[in-house]
């Protein structure tokens, strides 16, 4: 399973990259705004900065919601760097835009997916990635992971090449369960990635090993 980090924060992207296990980055307009990145040129510069840190797919979302606008914006974004993936919302014109970019060989990420039917449409349109938002479904008492299972089944039935990008991952259990189900990618905050490191038995075991080593080293002096 590929690990993407879901942030526009350059320090967090660097920290995840330094671990050596980062495969890409997803951003969205809210995440850009959270970092105070506003204005077209600043947004463009920020995407370039992210692409310089990570050697992997970087999702950059269009703001336009009409077909022509999405094509114009998406082409501009795709031109920024070879790793840019044009992120398109799951709306009617978005499906048409996904097909356009897919025919042109430009990578896409279909975002704001909340149902199996939407995921089926995205795959039919040739999306590179489909992003079901599991955390936001959990937020409204709907099982987000069940949606990943459903999409996995449908895509496997027909050998769709669209990769399932489990999005809106909130914590380590989401990551583990996505891996069990067979999501191709997960995107989540840095805490969901680094949280996987933690186990109290690792900490106590290491402390014991180091203490025993120090004792025997002192005895052999
Ligand atoms: C995905 O690409 C989105 O940026 C993201 O995962 C949304 O997550 P949230 O529901 O935590 O905002």
């Amino acid at each position: 399973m590929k690990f993407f980090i879901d942030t526009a924060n350059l320090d967090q992207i660097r920290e995840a990259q330094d671990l050596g296990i980062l495969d890409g980055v997803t951003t969205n307009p809210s995440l850009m705004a959270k970092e105070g990145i506003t204005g077209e040129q600043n947004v463009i510069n920020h995407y370039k900065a992210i692409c310089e840190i990570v050697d992997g797919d970087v999702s950059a979302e269009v703001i336009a919601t009409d077909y022509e606008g999405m094509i114009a914006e998406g082409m501009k974004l795709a031109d920024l760097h070879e790793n840019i993936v044009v992120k398109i919302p799951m709306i009617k014109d978005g499906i048409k835009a996904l097909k356009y970019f897919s025919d042109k060989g430009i990578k896409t990420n279909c975002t704001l997916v909340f149902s199996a039917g939407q995921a089926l449409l995205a795959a039919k349109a040739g999306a590179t990635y489909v992003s079901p938002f599991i955390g936001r479904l959990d937020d409204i008492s709907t099982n987000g992971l069940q949606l990943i299972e459903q999409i996995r089944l449908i895509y496997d039935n027909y050998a769709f090449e669209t990769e399932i990008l489990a999005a809106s991952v909130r914590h380590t259990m989401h990551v583990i369960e996505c891996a069990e189900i067979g999501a191709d990618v997960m995107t989540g905050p840095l805490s969901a990635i680094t949280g996987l490191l933690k186990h109290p038995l690792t900490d106590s075991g290491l402390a014991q090993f180091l203490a025993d080593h120090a004792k025997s080293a002192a005895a052999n002096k």
Side-chain angles (χ1 to χ4, degrees):
M1 184 168 73
K2 290 184 210 166
F3 274 28
F4 288 1
I5 188 167
D6 194 33
T7 185
N9 182 289
L10 297 182
D11 289 336
Q12 290 182 16
I13 293 170
R14 274 190 212 100
E15 191 176 334
Q17 172 66 22
D18 281 350
L19 273 176
I21 48 85
L22 191 66
D23 300 297
V25 178
T26 52
T27 62
N28 63 42
S30 303
L31 293 171
M32 294 296 260
K34 193 173 163 197
E35 299 307 316
I37 315 296
T38 51
E40 196 185 337
Q41 198 51 50
N42 289 335
V43 169
I44 282 174
N45 291 343
H46 205 73
Y47 285 136
K48 285 186 184 163
I50 294 173
C51 289
E52 274 164 29
I53 300 170
V54 180
D55 184 20
D57 286 347
V58 174
S59 287
E61 188 159 341
V62 297
I63 305 298
T65 53
D66 63 298
Y67 176 72
E68 282 80 16
M70 282 190 263
I71 301 304
E73 221 183 302
M75 290 305 287
K76 232 190 228 180
L77 290 169
D79 275 349
L80 292 180
H81 194 280
E82 58 181 357
N83 291 346
I84 290 284
V85 174
V86 182
K87 204 171 179 192
I88 306 271
M90 168 42 75
I91 54 177
K92 198 172 178 186
D93 278 15
I95 294 296
K96 287 158 64 178
L98 287 171
K99 181 75 173 86
Y100 174 90
F101 288 120
S102 155
D103 288 347
K104 283 218 155 342
I106 292 171
K107 286 187 178 185
T108 52
N109 175 357
C110 182
T111 190
L112 291 167
V113 166
F114 294 95
S115 77
Q118 291 179 327
L120 182 54
L121 275 177
K124 293 281 292 174
T128 313
Y129 297 104
V130 66
S131 287
F133 278 35
I134 62 175
R136 291 192 192 187
L137 281 171
D138 289 356
D139 287 346
I140 57 157
S141 311
T142 304
N143 192 327
L145 289 159
Q146 265 173 17
L147 176 60
I148 303 286
E149 270 173 346
Q150 240 186 323
I151 300 171
R152 180 76 283 156
L153 177 69
I154 291 169
Y155 282 12
D156 288 351
N157 279 348
Y158 299 99
F160 281 122
E161 285 175 13
T162 300
E163 292 187 49
I164 302 172
L165 196 174
S168 185
V169 158
R170 300 275 170 76
H171 47 70
T172 53
M173 279 314 292
H174 272 158
V175 178
I176 293 161
E177 284 166 331
C178 281
E180 283 174 351
I181 291 166
D184 300 292
V185 191
M186 78 83 201
T187 191
L190 182 62
S191 59
I193 298 174
T194 54
L196 296 170
L197 276 166
K198 292 178 194 158
H199 200 289
L201 290 180
T202 304
D203 297 340
S204 59
L206 184 60
Q208 185 69 57
F209 287 156
L210 294 179
D212 289 344
H213 171 78
K215 251 191 265 162
S216 73
N220 288 333
K221 265 190 186 164

